[in-house]
Every structure is written in C-alpha cells, then in structure tokens.
Amino acid sequence: MKNKKTMAIVQTAIIAAMYAALTYMQNFLLPGTTSAAVQFRVSEALNVLALFTPAAIPGLTLGCVLSNLYNIGSGLPLDMIFGSFATLGCSICMYYLRNLKIKNYPALAMLMPAIWNGVIVGWEIEHFFVEGDFIFWDFLFQGGCVALGELGVMLILGTALYFTIVKRKLDKKIFA
C-alpha cells in the first residue's frame, strides 16, 4: 500500500484485533487471568509494537477497550475507561522512548506498561473495589500487584517479541 494514511488505519485495525482476540482467547482458556489484580494478560506483550509504529498507539488502546467490554458483564465497567487510559498513556510513552536504549534494549520503554497500569489500575482497584477509606499503603500493594503482572509480561513475552521483530527485521518489512 502506498497511501500512508491507509497503511496506518490498517495497522491500527490489525493491532486492535490481535489485542482483543488474544485477550478473549486467554480469558476463555484461563478465566480471570486477564482481569484479576495480578494479571498476566498475554496481549499486553503487543505493547512492544508501539516501539515500531505510531499506529500501535490507537490500535492498542482500541484493542484494550474492546477487550474490556467483556469485563462490563463481570461488573468491571470502569476498567474499560481506566485500563484503556493506562494503555494509551503507556503506548504513547513507549513510542517516544523507543530510541532510548541500553545495549540495544529499550529498557525504560519496556517499563511503561508496568508503571502506567500499576498507578492507574492500582488506583482504580483501591478507590472503587476496596471498602473503606483510601489508604496509601493499600494503593501501593494493589498497584504493585498490577505492575508485577505487567512487568512479567513485558520482560518475558514482550522482550521475546521485541527481539524477534528486530532480529528478523520485521520492523523494516512491516512497519516501514
């Protein structure tokens, strides 16, 4: 495709569809693993795509919105708002930090999903789902649990995906 706008729309749609499909499939096979406090959402590894194309920013965000539609039926409508906002923030930061590397590894960018989701989703859990007053230490615990799951996904699956894309030069073939 020669038209850059068309290519960006196609990439956005494919990324959103992949994110949503992976999340739905995981939730079907392993119920609760995509929406618990300590979650290991396989689709979060796709955040790596924000290092290669700005089309990943709306793609990941839309994919997260579509994935979290399922959670509305589970009593978690706020996750569609806050979780998707965290994905938007982390993907924007990842895109802008993509060239800041330590030995050819974008370490700071890879931490963004853990930081954004830890803070925003941790706050969401503490504020809306824990009874009683907001307690800072409880927020740190909830946010830490969310961040731990995100960190696991990004360090294991995200890193593997990143190096696969770079080693096979898929970034040049697909996102050029």
Side-chain angles (χ1 to χ4, degrees):
M1 281 183 237
K2 298 276 186 194
N3 188 334
K4 286 186 178 188
K5 287 183 181 180
T6 303
M7 180 62 95
I9 291 169
V10 168
Q11 288 176 351
T12 297
I14 290 171
I15 292 168
M18 287 188 327
Y19 187 102
L22 281 170
T23 305
Y24 283 131
M25 184 174 59
Q26 179 183 346
N27 205 44
F28 177 74
L29 296 173
L30 302 165
T33 59
T34 64
S35 59
V38 180
Q39 54 184 261
F40 195 87
R41 193 181 273 196
V42 173
S43 54
E44 285 290 300
L46 294 177
N47 282 319
V48 166
L49 299 177
L51 300 172
F52 303 106
T53 177
I57 297 168
L60 293 165
T61 305
L62 181 59
C64 189
V65 168
L66 294 172
S67 297
N68 288 334
L69 281 173
Y70 173 82
N71 293 334
I72 289 175
S74 305
L76 299 172
L78 295 172
D79 201 38
M80 189 172 77
I81 298 165
F82 293 107
S84 302
F85 178 71
T87 298
L88 175 64
C90 89
S91 60
I92 290 170
C93 286
M94 287 184 78
Y95 180 75
Y96 284 108
L97 293 170
R98 70 189 181 279
N99 294 322
L100 187 61
K101 297 179 182 177
I102 300 171
K103 295 187 178 185
N104 294 324
Y105 183 70
L108 187 57
M110 296 295 266
L111 293 175
M112 289 299 112
I115 293 169
W116 278 85
N117 283 284
V119 171
I120 293 174
V121 177
W123 174 84
E124 173 193 357
I125 293 169
E126 177 61 25
H127 187 75
F128 293 107
F129 300 106
V130 176
E131 301 234 354
D133 294 333
F134 181 89
I135 300 172
F136 183 72
W137 299 112
D138 290 344
F139 160 70
L140 287 180
F141 176 75
Q142 298 296 344
C145 288
V146 173
L148 186 62
E150 288 287 336
L151 196 57
V153 170
M154 293 308 293
L155 291 180
I156 297 168
L157 300 177
T159 298
L161 180 59
Y162 173 78
F163 283 118
T164 300
I165 291 170
V166 171
K167 185 175 182 177
R168 296 180 183 252
K169 297 184 180 7
L170 297 174
D171 53 332
K172 310 267 188 280
K173 295 175 186 174
I174 297 173
F175 303 116

